[in-house]
Each structure stands twice: as C-alpha cells, then as structure tokens.
Amino acid sequence: MAITAAAGLLCGCGSGDGSAASATPPSAVTTSAAAAASTPAPPQGSLAGKVIVIDPGHNGANASHPAIINKKVNVYNGYKPCNSTGTATNDNYAEHAFTWDVANRLAKDLRAKGAKVILTRKNDKGVGPCVDERAKIANRAHADASLAIHGDGAPASGHGFHVIEPAVIKGHNEKVVPKSDRLGLDIRNAFHQGTGIPYSSYLGKKGLDVRSDLGGLNVATVPAVFIECGNMRNAGDAAKMKSPAGRQRMADALAQGFVKFLS
C-alpha cells in the first residue's frame, strides 16, 4: 500500500509543471518500500478474520479436585456441576488427553487457514474451567463459532459419533440456535466424510442430537455445538481415538466443517 501511494505521489507532482525536480526523491520511494516490507501481512486463508473457540473437554487434574469440579453453576435452566473427570478407554487412555490432543491439532489447522483460535484451557494439567465459564469465553470473544470436543463413555456395544446441538432456552438463546443447528450439520457432515466414522448407533438421529442439559451449550450466545467423536468404551472407536493418525483425521475433518460453516 505504501509503494502504491508513493507512485501516486510521483504522478501527481510530475503532472503539475512537468519539472523533474518536483518529483518525490528516489530515497523516499526506497524508504516507503522498506516500511511496506516490514509491515506484517494480514492473515490469509479461507478463515481469515474469523474467531473460533475450541473447548477441549474436561482437564487433567479434575479428578484430584472434587470440591472444585462438583461445585454447582447456573446454566440458565438449572444448576450443573462445574465440570467432571471425563471417561477413558478400557486401557485407560483418558478423555481429557484425547480432547486436548485433537483440539491442538484442530487449532493448528484453523490458524493455518487464517482464523484466530482460542482454547478454553491452557494445558492438560489443570482444573476446569467450569462449563459455564467455557461458554462465556466464547461469548466474550464474540466467536463466529465454538466447538466442544469430547469422547463418550457409553456401553461398549454402542459405536460411532454424534454432534449435540443446543435446545432453545426462552429469553436467552433463541436467536443463536438456528446458527448452531447449521454449525452442527456442517460439522457432522465434514466429520463423517473426513473420518469414515459412522453415526452413533445409540444416541441421536443420523449423528445429530439436541439437548438442554449441557451447560456449555445452554450458556452460549454464539453458534456452539458439542461433538462426541466416538465411544471410548467401544474397541473399534477406541482404536481410532488412540491413534495419532486417527486424531489427525478427526482434526482435519473438523476444520473442513468450520470452513463450510464460515464460508
């Protein structure tokens, strides 16, 4: 932009009286070019300018702080525990570790596409934050979209993934629920196509469910959904979730869901 302005100044001054002396000195052009070169380029990519909040479910130290995570918080239609420990595979690969890994892989994908990404927790060694605060992080950021990543702990016979969308809470989220529904559909389609994981055999309908008992969805005033990426108690799902390659496929697929929703 600075080079263009300098060129325009050359033309404008030269057209005044045709005198070469009135033109901008070469040193000014050089200085302008150097300034332009030192100015950081704006974000590029299909998600440039978008704000996305990723919520890796649970946290690594939740289990050792029951007094904190069992404290009740207001979720608009009742009170829920601040947080929980999450589940694990039968050989003890913890949900909190799974969600942390997928969230960071997804964040890297989204940032490469130009998005500003905020994670609701800084590491996998802390406690919380509470479910209402996780939603408020996205609300305060005026996020264009928010996703909570989880793994389910259903009976081992059930398999597959599902996306959970918010129910309407009158006087609170009526305006954003339709956008959350569209986000849920785009995330579901992209995850199914990108991973090959089937829709849940035990919850929801064609990989979609609506719930009014999840604080992170109830409190949200921006488009927000949860995904249960698989059933960690099912051997087939667990194998995919324990695999670094499987987690990368999940992250890549989720990124495509955001691209579809935000395009």
Side-chain angles (χ1 to χ4, degrees), residues 63-151:
S64 59
H65 292 81
I68 295 175
I69 66 169
N70 289 328
K71 181 180 178 181
K72 297 297 180 67
V73 297
N74 188 347
V75 297
Y76 283 93
N77 62 355
Y79 287 82
K80 299 284 289 185
C82 163
N83 212 285
S84 64
T85 61
T87 188
T89 64
N90 292 332
D91 56 357
N92 294 318
Y93 177 51
E95 181 185 1
H96 64 79
F98 165 77
T99 67
W100 180 244
D101 185 84
V102 174
N104 278 276
R105 292 173 186 270
L106 174 57
K108 182 178 179 180
D109 280 356
L110 296 173
R111 287 169 180 148
K113 299 179 187 301
K116 176 182 178 181
V117 181
I118 301 169
L119 270 63
T120 60
R121 55 186 175 101
K122 297 180 179 180
N123 54 52
D124 196 36
K125 301 176 182 179
V127 183
C130 296
V131 292
D132 61 328
E133 175 60 18
R134 293 176 187 236
K136 289 174 183 177
I137 289 170
N139 294 347
R140 290 193 296 266
H142 302 288
D144 294 289
S146 178
L147 173 69
I149 300 173
H150 287 262

Side-chain angles (χ1 to χ4, degrees), residues 1-262:
M1 293 295 291
I3 297 174
T4 304
L9 186 58
L10 277 168
C11 294
C13 292
S15 64
D17 59 7
S19 169
S22 64
T24 303
S27 60
V29 178
T30 303
T31 301
S32 297
S38 66
T39 301
Q44 300 297 318
S46 54
L47 296 176
K50 302 299 184 182
V51 177
I52 299 173
V53 171
I54 305 300
D55 177 21
H58 312 289
N59 208 330
N62 279 5
S64 59
H65 292 81
I68 295 175
I69 66 169
N70 289 328
K71 181 180 178 181
K72 297 297 180 67
V73 297
N74 188 347
V75 297
Y76 283 93
N77 62 355
Y79 287 82
K80 299 284 289 185
C82 163
N83 212 285
S84 64
T85 61
T87 188
T89 64
N90 292 332
D91 56 357
N92 294 318
Y93 177 51
E95 181 185 1
H96 64 79
F98 165 77
T99 67
W100 180 244
D101 185 84
V102 174
N104 278 276
R105 292 173 186 270
L106 174 57
K108 182 178 179 180
D109 280 356
L110 296 173
R111 287 169 180 148
K113 299 179 187 301
K116 176 182 178 181
V117 181
I118 301 169
L119 270 63
T120 60
R121 55 186 175 101
K122 297 180 179 180
N123 54 52
D124 196 36
K125 301 176 182 179
V127 183
C130 296
V131 292
D132 61 328
E133 175 60 18
R134 293 176 187 236
K136 289 174 183 177
I137 289 170
N139 294 347
R140 290 193 296 266
H142 302 288
D144 294 289
S146 178
L147 173 69
I149 300 173
H150 287 262
D152 212 355
S157 58
H159 68 276
F161 82 96
H162 63 284
V163 174
I164 305 170
E165 301 171 353
V168 170
I169 299 176
K170 291 183 178 180
H172 174 61
N173 67 353
E174 294 98 330
K175 292 183 179 179
V176 77
V177 164
K179 293 180 180 178
S180 294
D181 291 347
R182 186 163 63 84
L183 173 62
L185 185 62
D186 288 338
I187 290 290
R188 183 207 67 175
N189 291 345
F191 194 83
H192 184 54
Q193 181 177 357
T195 66
I197 298 174
Y199 302 145
S200 171
S201 64
Y202 60 94
L203 269 179
K205 183 176 181 182
K206 293 185 177 180
L208 295 174
D209 195 15
V210 176
R211 290 174 60 176
S212 62
D213 63 327
L214 295 178
L217 293 183
N218 287 7
V219 177
T221 56
V222 299
V225 296
F226 272 44
I227 184 167
E228 298 281 7
C229 295
N231 179 13
M232 300 191 82
R233 296 296 187 180
N234 175 272
D237 286 1
K240 296 181 179 71
M241 299 168 89
K242 291 188 294 182
S243 161
R247 295 194 297 272
Q248 188 61 54
R249 281 192 292 273
M250 293 177 189
D252 292 344
L254 292 171
Q256 290 307 308
F258 280 112
V259 169
K260 179 65 167 65
F261 175 71
L262 295 170

